[in-house]
């Protein structure tokens, strides 16, 4: 069985998240197991913004998604620790994530992690296809309703 790992914040779930996870699982083949690592609140805050939904609730929602076989919170102190524990065959990167897959794969190999890094190319293109766009729309609708 091929183990595929997908990672992300998964704040305010939308169809793009589900598509990313479904396509990630498909990269592993018919009998693949999809393990999802949900980013911790503290690591998201350090990189982007404060998540709207807390980490425990985001993890719970991801666990309910059909393509997901297992889901865990990442570690705050070492982002590679969970990767070593799960030991995936493939790690997927979403189409909207700005990572150089070859550099990431090289970094993993230096740490003794022999996973292949693959980018999911498909993305759900819609007016509200990201958490950020959804948040913006909510803010705009609140202003209009004042």
């Amino acid at each position: 069985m091929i183990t595929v790992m997908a990672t992300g914040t998964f704040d305010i779930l939308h169809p793009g998240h589900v598509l990313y996870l479904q396509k990630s699982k498909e990269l592993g083949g018919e009998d693949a197991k999809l393990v999802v690592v949900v980013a911790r609140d503290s690591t998201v805050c350090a990189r982007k913004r404060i998540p709207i939904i807390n980490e425990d609730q985001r993890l719970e929602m991801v666990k309910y998604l059909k393509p997901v076989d297992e889901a865990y919170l990442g570690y705050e102190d070492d982002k590679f620790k969970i990767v070593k524990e799960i030991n995936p065959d493939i790690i997927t990167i979403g189409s909207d994530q700005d990572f150089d897959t070859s550099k990431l794969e090289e970094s993993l190999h230096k740490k003794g992690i022999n996973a292949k890094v693959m980018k999911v190319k498909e993305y759900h293109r819609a007016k509200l296809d990201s958490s950020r766009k959804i948040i913006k729309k909510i803010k705009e609708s609140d202003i209009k309703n004042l």
Side-chain angles (χ1 to χ4, degrees):
M1 176 185 299
I2 302 285
T3 300
V4 179
M5 176 185 280
T7 65
T9 304
F10 303 100
D11 195 17
I12 307 180
L13 287 176
H14 55 76
H17 287 129
V18 181
L19 180 66
Y20 163 56
L21 296 175
Q22 181 62 46
K23 295 300 179 182
S24 292
K25 189 169 189 170
E26 288 173 9
L27 287 172
E30 193 173 301
D31 295 326
K33 174 171 89 169
L34 179 64
V35 180
V36 179
V37 177
V38 176
R40 302 297 298 249
D41 289 346
S42 61
T43 57
V44 175
C45 291
R47 289 185 342 242
K48 297 186 204 176
R49 58 174 171 71
I50 299 170
I52 302 298
I53 309 297
N54 73 54
E55 62 190 28
D56 293 322
Q57 187 173 333
R58 290 185 285 115
L59 175 64
E60 182 179 357
M61 294 304 296
V62 166
K63 284 181 177 180
Y64 284 117
L65 298 176
K66 188 175 181 178
V68 177
D69 296 299
E70 297 174 17
Y72 304 96
L73 288 173
Y75 289 103
E76 292 178 298
D77 58 339
D78 181 358
K79 65 181 177 181
F80 294 104
K81 185 175 179 182
I82 192 128
V83 181
K84 288 178 185 175
E85 289 176 2
I86 294 168
N87 192 28
D89 300 291
I90 299 169
I91 297 174
T92 60
I93 303 298
S95 65
D96 63 336
Q97 294 178 316
D98 295 325
F99 288 102
D100 181 325
T101 56
S102 59
K103 285 184 182 178
L104 183 53
E105 199 169 286
E106 185 179 313
S107 295
L108 291 166
H109 289 186
K110 285 180 182 176
K111 295 186 178 295
I113 301 166
N114 293 315
K116 181 169 180 58
V117 179
M118 302 175 78
K119 190 160 188 110
V120 172
K121 294 183 175 120
E122 292 89 345
Y123 190 75
H124 187 264
R125 299 279 180 215
K127 190 173 182 178
L128 297 175
D129 61 2
S130 74
S131 298
R132 192 171 315 241
K133 288 179 185 177
I134 294 168
I135 293 165
K136 183 178 178 188
K137 177 77 172 182
I138 292 168
K139 287 179 178 180
E140 289 170 357
S141 70
D142 284 348
I143 291 170
K144 290 177 184 173
N145 292 324
L146 290 177

